[in-house]
Amino acid sequence: MAGTGGAAKGAAAARAVLEVRKPRGSRHRDVKGGTQRAAVLGAGDGLLTNLSLVLGVAGASSTDASTVRLAGVAGLLAGAFSMAAGELVSVRAQQEMVEREVAVEREELTQEPEAELRELIGMYRAQGLSPDDAGTVARILSKNPKIALDTHARLELGVDPEAPGAAGKAAIFSFVSFAIGAILPLFPWFFIQGTSAVVASVVIGALAALALGAMIGSYAGRSIWKTALRQLAVAAVAAAVTYGVGAALGTSTS
Ligand SMILES: [Zn+2]
């Protein structure tokens, strides 16, 4: 009888460990969704920046395709490098913060193992485990220093201490997504020029803005049409304003 009770208790404790560990899997899914969202937002930035730049320069000197191309390529590179550098700095800072917190946790675990064990029991109790089960789970996990650190890092800091450093990858990723968005309105100017190139940039810009807006809406779980039309409206205003300013400056300086 006592044996079955112990086994049932053990099973409940094991189940509780699995329950608590579940967020690990779902967090990875979130991170993946976050990556896609970041790509769409980066491409949207690139599109808006270069649509404005291309039309601004075209408004000032619409007959000269090489000027528009030069400005567009410069805008693409400047924006993409700036996005990548920003990503590099922020991911590095985030990593260093995690490393520092994990180091503090590692020190606490070696210097005050009893206090850390009580802390872990408290966290499992807060998750709804009985005092017995919380004690069992916490003692099992605390036996192995590596598992103990891993558990404390996840539960207390909400981080994976062995997550690979991905600063370089994130930087390249934002460079590419910005560049993809930025190349779209510039594309026609490699083949045509003048009014037809302006019209082509506007049409490509409008379609891309609609598509990106729809994707942003689907990630946010909102109405796809609403976000698509809003993105189109933002692009239209930016394009009209820069084209107007370009035309005004172009005629005033020439
Ligand atoms: Zn701790």
Side-chain angles (χ1 to χ4, degrees):
M1 200 58 185
T4 26
K9 208 178 257 177
R15 224 172 14 248
V17 172
L18 293 175
E19 293 276 299
V20 170
R21 293 241 155 174
K22 238 184 215 160
R24 188 179 176 180
S26 63
R27 193 157 70 232
H28 280 306
R29 202 162 46 237
D30 286 345
V31 167
K32 241 179 158 182
T35 308
Q36 285 166 4
R37 196 160 44 231
V40 170
L41 292 175
D45 279 351
L47 176 71
L48 206 59
T49 303
N50 248 17
L51 182 64
S52 307
L53 191 59
V54 162
L55 291 182
V57 175
S61 58
S62 63
T63 50
D64 190 3
S66 66
T67 311
V68 176
R69 276 202 300 270
L70 184 65
V73 170
L76 183 154
L77 289 175
F81 274 120
S82 145
M83 295 280 285
E87 196 67 25
L88 208 59
V89 168
S90 86
V91 173
R92 277 275 154 77
Q94 169 77 16
Q95 273 172 2
E96 278 163 15
M97 205 178 76
V98 167
E99 277 163 21
R100 202 164 53 234
E101 292 303 314
V102 170
V104 168
E105 196 61 44
R106 188 182 290 121
E107 208 178 296
E108 283 177 358
L109 277 167
T110 39
Q111 286 176 355
E112 296 165 339
E114 274 306 311
E116 288 297 308
L117 178 63
R118 278 199 299 277
E119 186 185 60
L120 196 55
I121 293 172
M123 283 187 286
Y124 281 116
R125 287 218 58 192
Q127 304 241 14
L129 286 195
S130 73
D132 273 6
D133 285 351
T136 309
V137 171
R139 270 185 201 91
I140 291 169
L141 292 175
S142 297
K143 268 183 198 158
N144 180 321
K146 205 164 162 262
I147 294 176
L149 180 63
D150 186 274
T151 308
H152 279 263
R154 283 179 207 285
L155 289 181
E156 275 180 67
L157 311 173
V159 299
D160 182 346
E162 287 179 17
K169 217 164 121 188
I172 292 168
F173 186 78
S174 15
F175 186 98
V176 171
S177 16
F178 186 95
I180 288 171
I183 195 78
L184 294 175
L186 183 59
F187 196 64
W189 297 88
F190 287 100
F191 306 102
I192 51 176
Q193 57 183 345
T195 312
S196 46
V198 170
V199 171
S201 281
V202 168
V203 170
I204 291 173
L207 292 177
L210 277 174
L212 290 171
M215 282 189 243
I216 290 169
S218 78
Y219 289 137
R222 291 203 304 266
S223 157
I224 286 172
W225 277 108
K226 215 166 143 186
T227 48
L229 290 174
R230 194 177 57 199
Q231 194 78 2
L232 179 64
V234 170
V237 169
V241 168
T242 50
Y243 188 82
V245 170
L249 288 177
T251 46
S252 69
T253 53
S254 63

